[in-house]
Amino acid sequence: MNITLVCENSFEGIMTAIYDGWVLMNQGNQVDIYPGDYFTPTFFSEYHNVQTDFEKSEKVAKSIRVKISFDAYVAVYRACMHYSPEKGNIVFDFLKIAYPKGGAVMKMLGVPEVVALMELNRKVANETHNFKGFLRFTEVGGGLLVGKLNPRCDVLPLLEKHFSDRFPKENWIIYDEKREKALVHSAQGKCVMVQGKNLEEELGTLKITDQYEELWKIFFTTIGIEQRKNLKGQQNHIPQWYRKNMPEM
């Protein structure tokens, strides 16, 4: 039987679907995994909605770390943060190859299932790295720093450690406008993930008090050399989706 598992679009949701999918696969079924709404119903597949189960999710995550490798776990985690509608199937197909091979699978770059996963891993890692440099904070009332971004991939969880280490003594919020969720960090405290449609409204009520934003715009314009302006090169280095919340752009 062809069975399609529709799960939550999150790492835990995909891991839960893989746990259930593995059982169904061992029973002789053809299993597909689609997170969120990334699927088109057909007459030739039976659909099951998978409720996220953190115990199942942790069992799969632990098995990847122990039976394959920690590097494989990191690659799978990043792949689950990608926007591809096929990421559930790509991760599932990779694990079918990886469990028998162990850690050596990470060097098997001639295997299509490994290449597909590593491509998702690479793109998410690159976008995460870029936002570490492209993210701009604005100071609002009370010394709170607010940064907004519109990433293609769900990079917010991957930015947490970097900015917590970089600004441990600051109160700051990084808001993903596309997914309507935010990292909220308190000075000398922990960083938590908050999600909700009212976040944009709440942030919109904060009064901007940043005196350096206008100075940064002036500096950026002043150091530019008109004769050396290269808009095509600039586009290659800073694509449009990074620019929405960059004041100098």
Side-chain angles (χ1 to χ4, degrees), residues 29 102 123 143 160 164 177 199:
N29 299 294
K123 289 181 178 178
E160 178 182 348
S164 294
E177 296 178 312
L199 285 172

Side-chain angles (χ1 to χ4, degrees), residues 147 149 154 156-157 160 172-186 190-200 202-203:
L149 41 74
D154 187 6
L156 210 55
E160 178 182 348
W172 51 260
I173 296 173
I174 301 176
Y175 180 59
D176 184 339
E177 296 178 312
K178 187 174 181 179
R179 295 168 183 82
E180 297 177 336
K181 64 181 182 179
L183 287 175
V184 180
H185 180 272
S186 59
K190 294 183 178 180
C191 189
V192 296
M193 185 79 72
V194 179
Q195 192 158 2
K197 293 186 178 180
N198 63 336
L199 285 172
E200 182 68 43
E202 293 293 332
L203 293 175

Side-chain angles (χ1 to χ4, degrees), residues 133-139 146-148 208 210 212-221 238 242-249:
F134 294 154
L135 181 66
R136 301 289 185 258
F137 285 100
T138 297
E139 185 175 352
V146 176
K148 297 181 180 181
I208 297 177
D210 198 330
Y212 293 97
E213 186 170 304
E214 195 62 34
L215 291 175
W216 169 244
K217 293 178 184 178
I218 295 171
F219 171 77
F220 182 81
T221 304
I238 311 179
Y242 292 109
R243 300 186 184 195
K244 180 180 178 181
N245 296 299
M246 297 177 70
E248 69 269 31
M249 291 296 176

